[in-house]
Amino acid sequence: MSDAESAIEIEVPSDPLAGHAASAYFWGHVAGSGAVTDDGIEVVTNDEASAEVLAAIAGGDLEHETTTRDYAHDTSITRTEDEYTLSIGGEGGEAAGTNDSGLLGRSGALGLPVDGRGNYRFGAFASYDRELLRGLLEGCGTICFKSSSGTVGISFVHDDEELLEFARELIAECPIEVEDDRRSSDHRKTKSSETPMGDLSETSSGGYWFGVDDDAAPDFGTWLYENCEETGLFAPSRRRKLEKSLEQASAYDGDET
């Protein structure tokens, strides 16, 4: 069975706005790589299986296209990748739960988990931080192996400063153990007060970004994707990227350039 076929075998909430692991994952994706208007929702992903999951959760129509973009740091190099766009409401597909009250059973964007300024309100998903963060990472985050240091890099980038500040708050409270030399003379792993990460910084394009500290990134990434097969709420390509990066970091001997 392919990733795309197995991905839609998930528990779908009766209300895509209610507190549920699947709705938390969905809205994390929407916040990370989507847009919400009075008429509809649009969310973009590069992973087919994840796109099928999002469609199974909230309905809508999927479109697939191949895009070519310049690398941010070297415009002489381009990359080609698949892009899947899920459209819900508006001119796109019907949303799960759509009725006479409008999109997802609400009359407009103010009935969705956004406020009048377009900021997201995630209170209903407070018990599903892992799924919400996983959706955010897959929507606006990156995972890589840093060959210069032999470490795993996990970072988030977005135009919405408040969204990234919210992500930082969630990550700080993750129940992972990190190595804290200040607290343990024998360098054992202990639970620090919060997951270490860099400050929020501006990007060259006018957005914002931050990264989880390299020492904490492996544990954070492992926790984020732990037991995700049980719900199907993940992008297989992103998890493979994490696993490959962890393997490369484990095998690093300092000779790579």
Side-chain angles (χ1 to χ4, degrees):
M1 181 178 292
S2 70
D3 288 336
E5 290 174 333
S6 61
I8 60 175
E9 296 178 4
I10 61 172
E11 179 184 346
V12 178
S14 57
D15 181 354
L17 296 173
H20 190 283
S23 53
Y25 177 73
F26 172 78
W27 285 104
H29 258 281
V30 173
S33 61
V36 178
T37 67
D38 286 341
D39 299 321
I41 298 169
E42 185 175 278
V43 59
V44 179
T45 176
N46 301 121
D47 187 281
E48 181 182 8
S50 179
E52 294 283 359
V53 166
L54 300 177
I57 294 170
D61 285 344
L62 272 175
E63 292 186 2
H64 171 228
E65 63 180 350
T66 301
T67 61
T68 301
R69 292 189 176 90
D70 295 336
Y71 274 102
H73 301 294
D74 187 349
T75 56
S76 67
I77 302 174
T78 60
R79 63 178 180 182
T80 301
E81 59 187 9
D82 291 317
E83 190 171 89
Y84 300 87
T85 301
L86 175 65
S87 299
I88 303 170
E91 296 181 0
E94 286 292 308
T98 297
N99 56 29
D100 292 340
S101 298
L103 180 65
L104 295 177
R106 302 298 190 271
S107 60
L110 293 181
L112 302 173
V114 292
D115 63 21
R117 296 176 298 161
N119 298 314
Y120 289 88
R121 298 179 287 111
F122 294 120
F125 315 126
S127 298
Y128 306 98
D129 286 356
R130 178 158 27 195
E131 290 80 10
L132 180 58
L133 268 173
R134 194 184 304 144
L136 278 169
L137 176 68
E138 293 176 2
C140 66
T142 61
I143 299 172
C144 68
F145 171 68
K146 300 180 180 180
S147 59
S148 60
S149 58
T151 57
V152 177
I154 297 178
S155 60
F156 294 74
V157 59
H158 203 279
D159 291 339
D160 188 339
E161 184 178 9
E162 291 188 17
L163 177 65
L164 292 186
E165 288 288 8
F166 173 73
R168 283 170 49 80
E169 293 174 6
L170 291 183
I171 294 171
E173 298 175 357
C174 288
I176 65 172
E177 293 183 344
V178 295
E179 199 166 279
D180 191 340
D181 295 348
R182 296 169 300 175
R183 301 187 182 198
S184 177
S185 60
D186 58 2
H187 295 190
R188 290 177 301 173
K189 283 189 174 182
T190 60
K191 180 67 175 71
S192 68
S193 58
E194 60 181 38
T195 303
M197 69 195 86
D199 294 332
L200 202 63
S201 303
E202 291 190 22
T203 67
S204 58
S205 60
Y208 303 89
W209 79 278
F210 73 92
V212 177
D213 282 9
D214 288 357
D215 289 342
D219 288 326
F220 171 68
T222 299
W223 170 81
L224 197 62
Y225 282 88
E226 184 179 21
N227 302 323
C228 60
E229 302 96 333
E230 296 178 3
T231 61
L233 303 172
F234 70 104
S237 62
R238 189 60 63 92
R239 187 179 66 166
R240 287 194 294 267
K241 179 67 173 179
L242 172 66
E243 292 172 343
K244 179 63 175 178
S245 297
L246 291 172
E247 291 173 2
Q248 289 176 294
S250 178
Y252 179 75
D253 59 11
D255 295 330
E256 297 187 39
T257 58

